[in-house]
Amino acid sequence: MSEISNKRIYSAIQPTGMLTLGNYLGALRRFPALQDDNDCLFCIANMHSLTVRQDPEQLRERIYSLLSLYLAVGLDPEKSILYLQSQVHEHAELSWILNCYTYLGELSRMTQFKDKSSRHADNINAGLFTYPVLMAADILLYRSDVVPIGDDQKQHLEMARDIAERFNKVYGDTFVVPQPFISRQGARIMSLQEPDKKMSKSDTNVNNFILITEPREVIMKKFKKAVTDSEAEVRFDPEHKPGVSNLMNIYGAVKELSSEEVENVFRGARYGDFKMAVGEAVADALEPVRERYEALVSDRALLDKVLKTGSEKASEIARGVLADVYGKVGFPRG
Ligand code: ATP
Ligand code: LTN
């Protein structure tokens, strides 16, 4: 039995680049265990991706690549609905309605908006600002109970809850108020070179992240270069030892050990050996995923079929919920 049962589970990932170890430990790795005892939808959030400029050909490829990763970690299209956001038009429609129940003040408090608008100062578009409303629409459109996400998405999830409650208060019970599902370990993997910021797939310095599909040699090289500190003690102290603590967190998440247990494993170890052990553990965990990914990614016929069936199943649910919302706000239903 998984930790959760008999719930509708919903999550999404943007196809903005090859996924990192952060995406894997914070989100992707946790999805498959949920699909046996729950009703799961896993979406490829390509509409969200347009908030930052994308090359069209590359975006198309990245959609296939993300779907292949969903399958490579063990998501089964017979058990879970795997689909592409833009193929279910109800997302855009509900998003518009929810925009009218969201305040500028709450949107401007979102740390991801502040962060992304400072990184993309030449393109602070309205989509980047209203991004959390589209995310709320994704979740609420399926009356989702539980949303597995990394720590950085907690604020957006809280906004989705607020929007749902606000709407329900005006129109009566319409949406399920969703719960976040954030793991204790691995929910916030930091950059290997700058451990005060999160590991992100859109980072320009490739030594900051580990990609899920990177070969062992590259993974080992990046861990070898990872920033530690001038002490010589493997001790968990995120404030004073962010580099070492991040590596401990990665090791603990991969091996399912607490930070105290990780401290015990590496008591008296030299930093060089510690970093190599973390690298090996990560490479061992990612290798089977990479092998399955490589076998899947060029099978376009299979991938297109999975998307087609997924979108049909998702649309069926979305259609019913949107009709209900239309009825509530005073629009004809169909
Ligand atoms: P981008 O860099 O393009 O903004 P991202 O790497 O932050 O993207 P998303 O597609 O936005 O990735 O996130 C997918 C999932 O991975 C989300 O649930 C998010 O919380 C989780 N996630 C992203 N980065 C990390 C991280 N460093 N540690 C743990 N979880 C993470
Ligand atoms: N904003 C999320 C991706 C995302 C999402 C969602 C996650 C879009 N829609 C719905 C959970 C539920 C991110 O990870 N940046």
Side-chain angles (χ1 to χ4, degrees), residues 35-311:
Q35 68 184 345
D36 287 323
D37 303 318
N38 298 283
D39 173 12
C40 295
L41 291 108
F42 298 106
C43 167
I44 297 175
N46 60 330
M47 289 164 68
H48 277 93
S49 305
L50 284 194
T51 55
V52 172
R53 291 279 173 269
Q54 306 289 336
D55 171 70
E57 250 340 288
Q58 202 173 43
L59 182 58
R60 226 183 311 276
E61 285 307 307
R62 284 173 172 172
I63 290 167
Y64 287 116
S65 162
L66 179 51
L67 179 61
S68 307
L69 271 183
Y70 274 173
L71 299 172
V73 294
L75 288 179
D76 176 352
E78 301 284 325
K79 296 181 184 165
S80 296
I81 301 180
L82 309 179
Y83 77 102
L84 184 62
Q85 190 181 30
S86 63
Q87 290 181 335
V88 181
H89 56 77
E90 285 83 357
H91 286 255
E93 292 165 329
L94 181 60
S95 183
W96 170 253
I97 292 184
L98 299 184
N99 259 308
C100 303
Y101 297 86
T102 306
Y103 299 111
L104 292 190
E106 53 189 349
L107 284 171
S108 53
R109 283 195 292 276
M110 295 295 114
T111 52
Q112 182 176 294
F113 172 71
K114 290 187 215 166
D115 174 50
K116 289 210 173 168
S117 50
S118 68
R119 279 195 285 139
H120 303 277
D122 55 335
N123 180 23
I124 307 179
N125 60 72
L128 193 63
F129 191 61
T130 58
Y131 172 117
V133 183
L134 179 58
M135 178 164 161
D138 298 343
I139 299 166
L140 303 184
L141 192 53
Y142 299 93
R143 299 205 164 106
S144 315
D145 301 296
V146 177
V147 184
I149 38 170
D151 187 63
D152 62 309
Q153 295 301 316
K154 204 163 133 193
Q155 203 185 23
H156 291 162
L157 204 274
E158 271 157 20
M159 178 172 266
R161 289 171 56 87
D162 290 343
I163 296 173
E165 280 169 355
R166 192 172 298 146
F167 192 96
N168 287 350
K169 216 160 158 187
V170 180
Y171 299 104
D173 251 2
T174 309
F175 295 122
V176 169
V177 180
Q179 300 282 346
F181 180 45
I182 300 175
S183 62
R184 254 165 288 125
Q185 268 178 319
R188 195 169 183 78
I189 302 299
M190 309 308 277
S191 150
L192 295 184
Q193 295 296 318
E194 298 164 73
D196 53 335
K197 65 177 204 188
K198 81 162 189 152
M199 185 181 283
S200 165
K201 56 174 129 75
S202 43
D203 204 310
T204 46
N205 179 357
V206 296
N207 286 321
N208 276 338
F209 54 71
I210 300 289
L211 299 180
I212 300 184
T213 50
E214 261 165 350
R216 183 175 290 268
E217 315 81 75
V218 178
I219 295 178
M220 295 308 289
K221 220 184 271 169
K222 289 186 178 181
F223 274 105
K224 204 168 185 174
K225 284 197 197 134
V227 162
T228 47
D229 51 50
S230 56
E231 293 181 4
E233 192 190 7
V234 181
R235 177 164 48 83
F236 192 72
D237 181 353
E239 196 185 331
H240 302 105
K241 295 168 75 68
V244 168
S245 304
N246 184 39
L247 295 172
M248 291 176 74
N249 192 17
I250 292 174
Y251 188 85
V254 171
K255 296 273 190 185
E256 295 184 23
L257 298 174
S258 67
S259 33
E260 297 82 69
E261 287 170 324
V262 178
E263 246 168 35
N264 288 335
V265 173
F266 293 106
R267 196 171 305 278
R270 288 190 314 209
Y271 277 174
D273 297 334
F274 164 57
K275 290 202 279 187
M276 287 305 91
V278 181
E280 293 285 357
V282 168
D284 288 348
L286 296 182
E287 198 159 79
V289 180
R290 174 166 55 91
E291 283 170 2
R292 282 195 293 270
Y293 167 83
E294 280 165 6
L296 285 159
V297 72
S298 50
D299 193 345
R300 295 298 151 101
L302 169 87
L303 299 174
D304 280 329
K305 194 164 153 252
V306 170
L307 284 185
K308 185 163 183 288
T309 351
S311 314

